[in-house]
Amino acid sequence: MIWLGSTFLFTLLIGMPIAFVLGFSALAYFVMTGQTNFLLVMPQRMLAGMDMFVLLAIPLFVLAGSIMDVGGLTRRLIGFANSIVGRFRGGLSLTAIWGCFLFGGVSGSAAADAAAIGTVMVPDMKRQGYDVDYSAALIAVSSLMAPLVPPSIAMIIYGALSGTSIAQLLIAGLAPGILLAVLLSIYAITVARRRSYPTAPAQSMAEIVQGFWKAIPVLLLPVIIVVGIRGGIFTATEAAAIAAIYALLVATFVYRAMTWAFLKEAFISTAIITSAIYFLVAIANIAGFIFAMEQLPQQAVALLTGISDNPYVILLMVNIILLFMGMFLDTIGVLILTVPALMAIGNTLGLDPVHLGVMVVFNVLVGFVTPPVGLCLFVIAGVTGRPMEKIAVAALPMIGVALIVLALITLFPQISLFLPELLGAR
Amino acid sequence: MSKIWRAYVAAVETFCFAGIAAILIVGVLQVFARYVLHSSLFWSEEFMRYLMLWIVAFGAGISYTRGQFLGMRMVVEKLPPAARRVADVVAAVCVLIFLGVIIWYGSKFSWGTRRQTAVALSISMFWIHISVVIGALLLAIHVALNELLGVARSPAREEHVMGAEEAL
């Protein structure tokens, strides 16, 4: 246990990639505790961890998102969002928020969302007199909706690590995503009133219909996923395959924007990025094995229940620990390290695993917009050319909004669970 | 040397392209067979799972070079260049030891399972399990070239290293 912990900390601090930190710590643990007969188990556990049909939803959803990103998709979604919310006070900031939401229905990636919407919206907002750091921060926080709204790679990884129904997790993320969009909109409107940001001219019904018509092939993608999974027409992996082929058909025949070079790049980058995720999942299966041997999940439960037996206090502690870890470690790493213990805590408290999953995924996503290593802050800083610290300061109140959503999700399981129940996926 | 390297990268990229395309086609075919032809494919799930293992085996090394394997760099970046270099070399050596163990025991494991056959595809499980050895071997080559010899990094990607998190 000491060997495991000290090797982990040492290799983490010298900047070793998290997958190897976990792998090497496992190796050190087996060697130092004299259990070298378990070394044969390592490649076996890695293969078993990767050899899961549900995980194939990852490359297929990544592929669907990158294919859909061809030829003016972002403009189309933003045009549609603008035709509806542009007329309110702070219209462009609302367009940015709901544009991020719609983009999230195509791509599960917060980084892609922040980059796509940020590239288009920040220059527009700047022209209309919006503060650049404010605009950048708003888009960074709004991009967290991408991994909440289906499709979501984060939900698939959580489901695979915890054995929770991925179909239910995907649908359960939708309502928290909408809640975040609504609360961010309220915040953006109050800011716009205070700083008297402009409104866009109201568009006629005909223009709204036209915007909708242009965007509808894209908007159908998440609908296909949700309707397909609902009532078990497809498994999550099959839904992902259908989403990818649908994206390919729409990009090729409806938008006529597909080129051979783009297609090839989309397929190859899908394989490359999925390889890294699979490798992490493989290593997670070794880590899980050691956690079980050392009974770490049980110890975590004993530790937390020793401090308090009030479930809300325990959930508060869990959320604080996760937020803290999410600030410094990469998201998949946090999930690998904590999911076994979280499942044990969930069991003890009698929590629904889908509810727990949405809470945990939302929580670790907040790490994307907190310094020092927030991925979305990093992306939006690259897009806007502004220093990350300035954007992080501007993002503080919005992170507060995200934490309110986290608190609501934690306290009211129904926010996550009513949609899966309503749609009969449970 | 750089010619061989480029040929290797091109070969891996072609395999990745064909592999992902095959997974997409078989995935769609599986749904089509069940809902339109009303007869499920018995081999499709197994085929997709095992093909993905091989895509990971070939893709992981390039994935490493393209900065998809990220660690916590905060502490290291504060160090003076010489100390950082030491930390990087120590880290790389630890990674190579780990991968060496995976190569050795992965080979033993694969060889031990050579008489088992895959349920649907009826090929020896050796051909599936050896993928983890190939993957670790290619990763080790990439890690050694990048971290110890300082070659073969693709500099254009360096600025946008975001790690696998990029997909989340």
Side-chain angles (χ1 to χ4, degrees):
Chain A
M1 184 53 215
I2 292 166
W3 283 110
L4 189 64
S6 51
T7 317
F8 175 83
L9 274 182
F10 173 72
T11 49
L12 186 71
L13 289 176
I14 61 171
M16 202 195 264
I18 190 83
F20 296 126
V21 167
L22 292 165
F24 187 76
S25 305
L27 173 62
Y29 167 81
F30 285 135
V31 172
M32 292 304 174
T33 54
Q35 308 181 78
T36 43
N37 52 327
F38 278 123
L39 292 179
L40 190 64
V41 175
M42 297 213 304
Q44 189 188 346
R45 294 285 299 189
M46 287 176 71
L47 283 161
M50 293 188 285
D51 187 12
M52 299 201 314
F53 188 64
V54 286
L55 285 176
L56 283 159
I58 295 174
L60 292 166
F61 275 138
V62 170
L63 185 65
S66 45
I67 289 174
M68 267 298 191
D69 202 10
V70 75
L73 157 91
T74 315
R75 282 271 171 210
R76 251 175 226 116
L77 292 178
I78 286 174
F80 174 56
N82 192 44
S83 74
I84 294 178
V85 297
R87 69 194 61 204
F88 300 108
R89 175 63 66 186
L92 271 190
S93 52
L94 298 178
T95 302
I97 295 169
W98 290 92
C100 280
F101 174 77
L102 295 177
F103 191 92
V106 177
S107 162
S109 157
D113 197 353
I117 303 292
T119 308
V120 177
M121 288 305 296
V122 172
D124 282 3
M125 291 172 81
K126 192 177 172 186
R127 226 169 289 134
Q128 288 210 4
Y130 285 82
D131 179 59
V132 178
D133 293 336
Y134 169 77
S135 314
L138 188 67
I139 290 166
V141 178
S142 298
S143 73
L144 299 187
M145 286 181 274
L148 291 171
V149 177
S152 165
I153 310 300
M155 293 287 184
I156 298 169
I157 293 174
Y158 180 86
L161 290 176
S162 66
T164 311
S165 156
I166 288 171
Q168 290 186 33
L169 283 169
L170 285 174
I171 296 175
L174 183 55
I178 294 174
L179 186 62
L180 179 60
V182 169
L183 291 189
L184 280 175
S185 299
I186 294 171
Y187 170 75
I189 290 172
T190 54
V191 170
R193 285 241 168 86
R194 208 168 55 225
R195 305 187 188 170
S196 48
Y197 286 148
T199 58
Q203 296 192 348
S204 69
M205 204 56 208
E207 281 170 310
I208 294 178
V209 170
Q210 203 195 6
F212 182 65
W213 184 247
K214 274 190 187 159
I216 189 113
V218 185
L219 298 178
L220 271 177
L221 187 86
V223 175
I224 291 173
I225 296 169
V226 171
V227 171
I229 289 175
R230 184 208 111 113
I233 299 176
F234 326 128
T235 63
T237 305
E238 289 169 349
I242 297 297
I245 200 78
Y246 173 81
L248 188 59
L249 293 175
V250 167
T252 312
F253 298 110
V254 181
Y255 293 143
R256 296 172 188 279
M258 187 49 71
T259 62
W260 179 245
F262 186 93
L263 191 71
K264 227 178 130 191
E265 180 52 39
F267 276 65
I268 292 168
S269 64
T270 296
I272 300 286
I273 202 164
T274 310
S275 297
I277 298 176
Y278 260 64
F279 196 82
L280 273 163
V281 173
I283 299 287
N285 211 28
I286 303 179
F289 180 70
I290 295 180
F291 293 165
M293 276 173 66
E294 287 282 314
Q295 299 197 309
L296 292 183
Q298 290 81 345
Q299 290 179 23
V301 172
L303 188 71
L304 286 177
T305 49
I307 297 172
S308 166
D309 49 12
N310 181 335
Y312 294 113
V313 176
I314 293 176
L315 281 177
L316 180 71
M317 290 190 288
V318 167
N319 273 315
I320 290 172
I321 294 168
L322 283 174
L323 281 170
F324 183 75
M325 290 177 77
M327 283 175 71
F328 300 100
L329 286 176
D330 90 54
T331 308
I332 305 172
V334 176
L335 290 178
I336 293 172
L337 288 172
T338 58
V339 161
L342 290 168
M343 293 307 287
I345 292 166
N347 271 334
T348 312
L349 299 182
L351 295 180
D352 186 288
V354 175
H355 165 229
L356 183 67
V358 174
M359 184 191 96
V360 171
V361 169
F362 191 100
N363 188 312
V364 291
L365 289 176
V366 174
F368 279 179
V369 290
T370 52
V373 285
L375 173 71
C376 292
L377 286 182
F378 183 70
V379 170
I380 204 80
V383 167
T384 58
R386 295 286 302 162
M388 211 167 114
E389 306 80 61
K390 293 267 198 269
I391 301 173
V393 171
L396 277 179
M398 302 162 205
I399 295 172
V401 171
L403 291 180
I404 291 172
V405 176
L406 176 60
L408 291 173
I409 296 173
T410 307
L411 293 176
F412 303 105
Q414 280 310 315
I415 297 172
S416 314
L417 298 180
F418 87 93
L419 266 181
E421 270 162 19
L422 190 73
L423 292 172
R426 284 170 74 78
Chain B
M1 194 60 203
S2 70
K3 219 172 177 180
I4 301 172
W5 186 256
R6 272 204 299 274
Y8 154 74
V9 172
V12 169
E13 287 190 341
T14 308
F15 178 79
C16 287
F17 175 73
I20 295 288
I23 284 176
L24 173 61
I25 292 166
V26 173
V28 173
L29 217 58
Q30 177 177 322
V31 179
F32 183 78
R34 193 158 73 240
Y35 292 103
V36 185
L37 307 179
H38 298 290
S39 81
S40 298
L41 301 176
F42 66 94
W43 53 271
S44 57
E45 287 206 5
E46 202 177 274
F47 174 81
M48 289 162 76
R49 279 191 282 120
Y50 293 160
L51 180 57
M52 196 61 220
L53 291 183
W54 276 102
I55 293 174
V56 175
F58 284 115
I62 292 194
S63 185
Y64 179 87
T65 296
R66 291 197 187 173
Q68 298 286 344
F69 285 68
L70 266 200
M72 196 185 72
R73 304 293 299 174
M74 269 182 304
V75 180
V76 183
E77 271 160 20
K78 297 239 166 19
L79 295 176
R84 193 193 306 174
R85 177 85 189 123
V86 172
D88 283 346
V89 170
V90 171
V93 169
C94 291
V95 171
L96 290 175
I97 292 172
F98 168 70
L99 291 172
V101 168
I102 296 300
I103 293 168
W104 176 254
Y105 286 96
S107 309
K108 273 180 99 166
F109 174 65
S110 312
W111 187 245
T113 57
R114 70 190 181 283
R115 297 200 196 285
Q116 299 172 12
T117 44
V119 181
L121 301 174
S122 51
I123 49 170
S124 162
M125 287 306 282
F126 174 81
W127 296 113
I128 289 122
H129 292 155
I130 198 74
S131 68
V132 75
V133 176
I134 303 294
L137 192 65
L138 290 178
L139 255 173
I141 292 172
H142 278 263
V143 171
L145 286 176
N146 290 172
E147 310 301 338
L148 298 182
L149 303 176
V151 295
R153 275 218 174 273
S154 29
R157 306 258 170 184
E158 199 77 80
E159 296 162 31
H160 279 284
V161 275
M162 296 197 283
E165 281 198 321
E166 197 186 327
L168 298 189

